[in-house]
Amino acid sequence: MGNTPDSPYYADVSPGRGTLPPRAWYARSDARRLILDGSWHFRLSPTAEAHDASFAGDGFDPGTDPGWHTVTVPGHWVLQGHGAPAYTNTRYPFPVDPPHVPDENPTGDHRRVFDLPADWPGGGGCVLRFDGVESCARVWLNGQELGDFQGSRLPHEFEVGRLLRPRGNVLAVRVHQWSAGSYLEDQDMWWLPGIFRTVALLHRPQGSVADFTVHSAYDHRDGHGVLRVLSEPGGRVSVPGLGLELETGATARVPVEPWTAETPRLYDATLTTGGESVPFRIGFRTVAVEDGVLRANGRRLLFRGVNRHEFHPETGRTLDEETMRRDVVLMKQHNINAVRTSHCPPHPAFLDLCDELGLWVIDECDLETHGFTHVDWRGNPVDDERWTPALLDRARRMVERDKNHPSVVIWSLGNECGSGSGLTAMARWIRSRDPSRPIHYENDYAYPDSDLHSRMYASHAEVEEIGRREGPAKPFILCEYAHAMGNGPGGLSEYQRLFEAYERCQGGFVWEWNDHGLLRHTEEGQPYFAYGGDFGEEVHDGNFVCDGLVFPDRTPSPGLVEYKKVIEPVRLTGDGAAGTVRVANLHDFADLTHLSLEWSYEVDGEAVGAGTLPLPAVPAGGSAELALPAPPSTDRHGEAMWTLRAVLAGDTSWAPGGHLVAWAQLPAPAPARGRDETGRGVAPHRDGQRLTLGPAVFDAATGALTRLGAVPVRGLRLDVWRAPTDNDEGAPWVPGSGPGAAWRELGLHRMRHRVDAVETDGEALAVHSRIAPAASDLALRTVYRWSWAGGERDPLRLIVTVEPEGEWDCPLPRLGVRLELPAAYDQVRWFGGGPGEAYPDTRAASVVGRWASGVDAMQTPYVRPQENGARADVRWTELHDGTGAGLRVDAGEDHFWLTARRWTDEALDAATHTPDLVPGDTVHVHLDHAQHGIGSASCGPGVLPQHRLAAGPARFSFTLSALDTAGDGEAVIRP
Ligand code: IPT
């Protein structure tokens, strides 16, 4: 590595020149500020040295130069028509030769002229603040160079008072996409240069707050808060809600309500110095690692967390306050209690929202050097002391900026940097500056620079092994797990059971909160989300950037709905037949007085009674046994079930009263399963090329069902294929981690169906078939046995038996039948799991009930199209045309999985973006006996054995009937 003395500043390992020491960020103050966001003049150059600095001077007029345009600040120029975004996961998109950067170094010159408001106060100083610039900036004001800085997602300030004039101030900022700092910013996300957070001019009156530090511990033994505010210069602190007035530096000890993520009690306070008055909020809480357990206010924490990168599908890492608030509100509404700010400090206002609405935060430094893994970690900056000042600068900027947030309970050194002395130096500095918070860095148990044992994507078995270990230990967390890429993640419930079973396993953070798809439009104007490779990148990692619990536009994905259910803070179990329910309070702090418990009693999915049960104030960690009311009397017969819902008793800052927090369904009594499945019936009748069996017509040669009553049916046959999910495909760097490649290799997407015999006897039609891929002798011997009992209202019965031939060593994607119906039958009713999709290991959130939906709304629009939309535990379904005509399918012995879409699985598999899915004139229906689980192998463990669909002998059945309209909308069978 060469860092020669004449290295340009942007290829210099030092953090920069000319900036002020870092300090606490605060949103409000009585000192004046001028926000400099808006339209700026902008010129993009292909290299760093294409232009001299003359644009920074008074005499320069961009208006006459054709190279100049305008961009919106804050923003990324690549999202405003200048250059293009690029996505890589771990690989640097430039040669690895630290700290050098390529000649091709897109450089954006930004220029803005501003006047001071007429009433801008004189005296004191003025600070120019940048809250985020990627990746390196050099700054001039009125032709004077202020300095330069690196550290993209951290604030940088310059003292500028002496340079300001009342009118016509010229602020010029040269931003380089690549700098030495880029080697420290190899987070798995889009490379998005620009001034992407606010630029502000802050008046600093004489005697204003240079910096202040709030110490606000909570002593859970006696319920006292201990407050001490340090300020430079000193002043007074008032906390009206506590009747407190004290000098800075003095300590007050008073009874308080503590802050927790569940009960985010904040006290308004004001710090007043000779020159400034700063309103701020205090949350009293103490975090500590005691006996190997991470505790807040004396109680063990269980993180139900997510990793959150800042992202907006149109503005990239420029986030407005409304988007930030929406994130926090959505998290709260989905029972999430913790955020890791992967992998850099977020916009500071986000932490205000976490304080206010209640989330535990792991605040992570802007540091990742993951790309060095591709060169065996040679030259890794965190293990090269020349970089240590830059690393310490980053640690300081984070800690000083965010130190006053009660929500921030852990400092994280960064992500995926390997290990080295630079990390040790960061940890040492942070420990001395703020001993009140533990430090996090993902690594082995024995790693000295972390107070937590933190792993990513550990399997269930490994988590269990860590949970069982004896002896002294650090608290264990999964800083990343359950990779939420595409359909999934699977296996959440099983992780949660482990976190609940082992004290030291203190939860985890799903990877990740949102898909980073960028909004684009086809030539026809159809919107879609773009991912890596869509912008001509020569090195990219495709849709690995779309791995969130919410879609790019923040629509919750089924994964989020599942996560909400899995991590619900109240667990309702019981015995519906015996009329008892057990309410377990899984909160870490709160009792249950903020919830009420609603019940409904349903027969065949229709409520016949509902009410509310008094919910005792069960303390956190406790439970109570409640009696259900007597079942409502009803003349309806069928499958009876209690549905219990714990809902918010009143409005909160993040959801209205009535918002669902936790739920359960208890069969009452357990339904009798299984029917007479002999399939006996009348003899099929041959009529030329056709065979008829009651309402059904078959092709006599192939045995294919062609019509049921008035319903044309096509292509009914066994199917085992699904368009592989991202988790089926597995991690690109772990060949074979998902079964997708083996499925394709075997040819499950191109199975051949050979009919061996079409047999009729006195009571059924049996079609014998062998289903197998080319080039293999593996096969599925299948018999479709059709029967009809002979009564006018009797349905057509199908029993499918499957017998594998040969040694199948990979799981099947699915096992069931598919069929085609006319496009008009695009309305679906079903009694079974819903409303959203579910798979064997993502089915916790599936509610048994009566659901109705159009086929279109049953699709989950994963950014990269893939298998989606199955509904679990279906007892019956009706696919109809809106007037009532259509097909009804009832489950035989077992409930089935229902999927319906307007395209084939083959088209779904071929599609790369959502506009590739074009509806045809057919509704394609899957009635599945079984599905393979989803797992999380796109980055992590695959499907657990209990959710694996092994090829084996199988038998399943359905009944089919044609529907016609009836006066009351009730379906009747048309023979
Ligand atoms: C892990 C990274 O920390 C995270 O940034 C993201 O890339 C995630 O994987 C996958 O989306 S690192 C991985 C190689 C285990």
Side-chain angles (χ1 to χ4, degrees):
M1 173 176 116
N3 183 27
T4 51
D6 53 357
S7 287
Y9 62 96
Y10 50 83
D12 187 342
V13 295
S14 84
R17 273 152 288 264
T19 55
L20 293 166
R23 63 191 183 108
W25 183 91
Y26 45 91
R28 291 170 301 146
S29 147
D30 65 351
R32 291 290 301 274
R33 64 182 64 194
L34 179 63
I35 302 296
L36 297 172
D37 297 343
S39 182
W40 288 48
H41 279 106
F42 174 79
R43 170 180 64 192
L44 180 63
S45 307
T47 63
E49 313 284 355
H51 292 97
D52 62 20
S54 56
F55 80 105
D58 279 342
F60 188 82
D61 181 6
T64 61
D65 187 324
W68 283 84
H69 309 269
T70 56
V71 290
T72 299
V73 170
H76 307 279
W77 68 73
V78 290
L79 299 182
Q80 298 186 52
H82 306 281
Y87 165 60
T88 61
N89 169 10
T90 58
R91 289 174 294 175
Y92 290 106
F94 46 78
V96 180
D97 181 24
H100 304 290
V101 300
D103 287 349
E104 299 86 355
N105 188 0
T107 291
D109 288 335
H110 296 69
R111 190 178 195 274
R112 173 172 174 158
V113 180
F114 65 93
D115 300 335
L116 293 179
D119 58 350
W120 189 259
C126 275
V127 162
L128 178 65
R129 186 176 70 216
F130 296 89
D131 277 324
V133 182
E134 183 164 331
S135 76
C136 172
R138 184 177 172 193
V139 187
W140 297 260
L141 182 64
N142 294 333
Q144 283 284 317
E145 184 170 348
L146 302 177
D148 57 81
F149 60 83
Q150 301 174 20
S152 299
R153 297 100 198 181
L154 292 162
H156 303 272
E157 293 182 323
F158 297 99
E159 171 56 51
V160 295
R162 68 196 187 283
L163 299 174
L164 286 167
R165 51 201 185 207
R167 305 188 61 77
N169 292 286
V170 179
L171 176 56
V173 188
R174 173 162 286 174
V175 181
H176 305 288
Q177 171 153 19
W178 307 125
S179 66
S182 303
Y183 286 98
L184 306 180
E185 296 173 6
D186 191 28
Q187 294 94 342
D188 175 13
M189 58 194 196
W190 294 99
W191 296 94
L192 296 174
I195 304 173
F196 72 97
R197 287 184 191 149
T198 289
V199 181
L201 184 70
L202 312 175
H203 181 236
R204 306 309 300 139
Q206 202 68 50
S208 59
V209 177
D211 193 13
F212 73 110
T213 305
V214 180
H215 296 285
S216 52
Y218 179 71
D219 187 339
H220 67 274
R221 291 161 307 182
D222 62 6
H224 280 61
V226 185
L227 178 66
R228 183 159 179 255
V229 179
L230 303 177
S231 169
E232 177 52 44
R236 293 190 63 74
V237 175
S238 80
V239 193
L242 293 171
L244 276 181
E245 288 281 343
L246 70 165
E247 302 287 322
T248 57
T251 301
R253 196 183 161 87
V254 284
V256 296
E257 293 170 40
W259 187 98
T260 74
E262 291 167 8
T263 55
R265 177 69 162 101
L266 292 172
Y267 291 90
D268 287 323
T270 308
L271 165 66
T272 308
T273 62
E276 188 178 17
S277 170
V278 178
F280 67 104
R281 297 180 299 188
I282 303 169
F284 292 92
R285 57 112 193 87
T286 292
V287 285
V289 175
E290 290 162 2
D291 302 328
V293 176
L294 178 69
R295 298 181 193 279
N297 303 340
R299 294 187 62 93
R300 169 188 185 249
L301 286 181
L302 181 54
F303 290 130
R304 303 163 158 91
V306 286
N307 281 279
R308 175 181 177 273
H309 266 296
E310 290 182 306
F311 183 75
H312 186 283
E314 288 167 88
T315 58
R317 283 190 280 281
T318 298
L319 258 61
D320 54 292
E321 173 127 12
E322 190 192 316
T323 302
M324 295 187 236
R325 184 173 284 273
R326 187 143 41 111
D327 276 350
V328 179
V329 165
L330 268 177
M331 289 176 192
K332 294 289 290 184
Q333 290 179 345
H334 288 85
N335 293 332
I336 288 165
N337 72 356
V339 179
R340 172 175 176 233
T341 69
S342 55
H343 300 303
C344 51
H347 189 292
F350 179 77
L351 299 175
D352 274 351
L353 292 165
C354 295
D355 293 344
E356 177 190 323
L357 298 170
L359 289 172
W360 306 109
V361 177
I362 298 184
D363 195 0
E364 189 153 275
C365 200
D366 190 4
L367 179 60
E368 173 159 343
T369 64
H370 208 158
F372 285 87
T373 188
H374 301 289
V375 296
D376 293 329
W377 296 99
R378 282 187 301 277
N380 183 9
V382 308
D383 203 19
D384 177 338
E385 63 192 22
R386 279 170 292 186
W387 294 79
T388 303
L391 304 183
L392 286 171
D393 182 70
R394 285 169 190 249
R396 276 196 197 105
R397 287 184 191 279
M398 169 180 74
V399 171
E400 298 299 356
R401 191 194 74 163
D402 297 340
K403 59 188 177 243
N404 293 336
H405 291 281
S407 57
V408 175
V409 287
I410 294 169
W411 300 117
S412 176
L413 303 181
N415 184 59
E416 289 282 6
C417 296
S419 57
S421 56
L423 293 169
T424 305
M426 291 171 81
R428 192 176 302 138
W429 181 84
I430 295 174
R431 281 205 177 100
S432 66
R433 175 66 182 98
D434 179 18
S436 77
R437 292 173 173 100
I439 291 177
H440 167 267
Y441 184 70
E442 185 256 348
N443 219 296
D444 294 337
Y445 163 65
Y447 186 73
D449 298 326
S450 178
D451 298 316
L452 308 176
H453 179 196
S454 171
R455 297 266 293 110
M456 46 174 75
Y457 308 105
S459 66
H460 300 81
E462 184 180 348
V463 173
E464 172 134 45
E465 189 268 315
I466 291 169
R468 282 181 192 280
R469 263 183 217 170
E470 294 191 356
K474 292 177 181 173
F476 176 70
I477 63 163
L478 286 166
C479 64
E480 294 175 24
Y481 80 117
H483 197 245
M485 185 178 181
N487 186 335
L492 286 169
S493 302
E494 290 84 357
Y495 277 115
Q496 201 63 24
R497 295 295 95 89
L498 295 170
F499 302 154
E500 289 169 13
Y502 298 103
E503 187 180 42
R504 85 171 44 145
C505 297
Q506 297 195 254
F509 296 76
V510 167
W511 186 267
E512 68 176 305
W513 174 242
N514 78 275
D515 285 344
H516 311 201
L518 289 169
L519 180 66
R520 287 293 178 269
H521 293 87
T522 62
E523 275 168 22
E524 294 73 39
Q526 205 182 337
Y528 69 98
F529 294 111
Y531 48 79
D534 290 340
F535 299 92
E537 302 103 300
E538 64 177 13
V539 177
H540 70 82
D541 290 289
N543 68 315
F544 203 69
V545 77
C546 294
D547 50 4
L549 292 174
V550 297
F551 288 98
D553 63 2
R554 289 178 164 72
T555 308
S557 83
L560 181 59
V561 179
E562 176 79 359
Y563 195 41
K564 172 183 179 175
K565 171 68 179 141
V566 167
I567 59 177
E568 59 190 4
V570 177
R571 180 150 313 129
L572 303 163
T573 51
D575 182 339
T580 57
V581 55
R582 186 179 171 79
V583 182
N585 181 0
L586 306 180
H587 287 93
D588 296 327
F589 301 91
D591 67 21
L592 296 186
T593 48
H594 64 295
L595 299 176
S596 62
L597 188 59
E598 298 176 345
W599 62 267
S600 77
Y601 187 81
E602 291 129 31
V603 177
D604 278 348
E606 291 194 309
V608 296
T612 305
L613 274 180
L615 193 57
V618 183
S623 63
E625 201 82 41
L626 308 182
L628 291 167
S633 63
T634 170
D635 50 13
R636 295 198 59 131
H637 298 285
E639 185 181 345
M641 192 172 307
W642 296 95
T643 298
L644 300 161
R645 307 167 80 246
V647 302
L648 287 180
D651 295 349
T652 66
S653 52
W654 47 269
H659 166 83
L660 181 68
V661 172
W663 59 273
Q665 292 187 303
L666 308 176
R673 297 286 295 275
R675 303 181 185 195
D676 168 22
E677 279 298 335
T678 56
R680 284 185 202 292
V682 303
H685 170 75
R686 184 158 192 139
D687 172 12
Q689 296 305 303
R690 308 179 344 153
L691 278 170
T692 56
L693 184 58
V697 179
F698 297 84
D699 180 312
T702 63
L705 177 68
T706 58
R707 179 168 290 276
L708 182 65
V711 180
V713 180
R714 220 176 26 203
L716 189 151
R717 62 192 202 180
L718 190 86
D719 195 25
V720 294
W721 176 244
R722 73 183 184 198
T725 64
D726 293 317
N727 287 313
D728 290 336
E729 299 287 14
W733 62 91
V734 192
S737 51
W743 291 346
R744 280 186 216 279
E745 170 73 20
L746 181 56
L748 296 185
H749 58 310
R750 48 174 170 76
M751 298 289 267
R752 296 293 164 210
H753 295 246
R754 184 183 80 206
V755 176
D756 288 333
V758 179
E759 292 171 353
T760 57
D761 60 21
E763 52 189 32
L765 162 68
V767 181
H768 296 258
S769 166
R770 184 179 186 278
I771 297 153
S776 170
D777 62 357
L778 298 185
L780 300 167
R781 288 271 180 196
T782 301
V783 180
Y784 309 89
R785 188 172 195 279
W786 297 97
S787 62
W788 180 58
E792 196 189 328
R793 288 175 161 261
D794 284 330
L796 180 70
R797 181 173 301 267
L798 168 63
I799 300 173
V800 182
T801 49
V802 181
E803 197 68 50
E805 280 182 7
E807 292 295 317
W808 289 73
D809 53 12
C810 70
L812 296 176
R814 64 172 359 122
L815 182 67
V817 294
R818 73 195 254 184
L819 60 108
E820 296 172 21
L821 295 173
Y825 297 164
D826 65 354
Q827 299 301 308
V828 188
R829 281 188 287 259
W830 73 98
F831 174 36
E837 76 180 27
Y839 288 82
D841 53 353
T842 63
R843 65 191 294 169
S846 177
V847 186
V848 174
R850 288 209 186 192
W851 307 105
S853 171
V855 166
D856 293 328
M858 291 177 77
Q859 314 309 306
T860 308
Y862 292 115
V863 172
R864 184 190 75 81
Q866 55 195 273
E867 165 67 26
N868 72 87
R871 271 36 179 203
D873 300 315
V874 177
R875 282 79 165 151
W876 56 255
T877 182
E878 295 174 350
L879 294 116
H880 62 100
D881 65 0
T883 72
L887 177 74
R888 178 177 168 114
V889 181
D890 281 81
E893 292 115 298
D894 297 313
H895 302 153
F896 62 92
W897 302 84
L898 168 68
T899 310
R901 42 181 155 249
R902 293 184 180 278
W903 35 78
T904 60
D905 286 34
E906 290 73 18
L908 186 59
D909 190 14
T912 62
H913 295 79
T914 47
D916 298 340
L917 295 169
V918 182
D921 58 0
T922 303
V923 171
H924 300 266
V925 182
H926 287 273
L927 309 171
D928 285 310
H929 174 58
Q931 283 269 1
H932 183 56
I934 295 295
S936 191
S938 56
C939 182
V943 171
L944 287 167
Q946 62 269 36
H947 302 305
R948 186 173 190 274
L949 174 53
R955 173 193 149 106
F956 51 94
S957 62
F958 311 97
T959 63
L960 283 66
S961 358
L963 301 172
D964 200 354
T965 341
D968 59 0
E970 271 282 308
V972 298
I973 295 160
R974 187 163 73 176

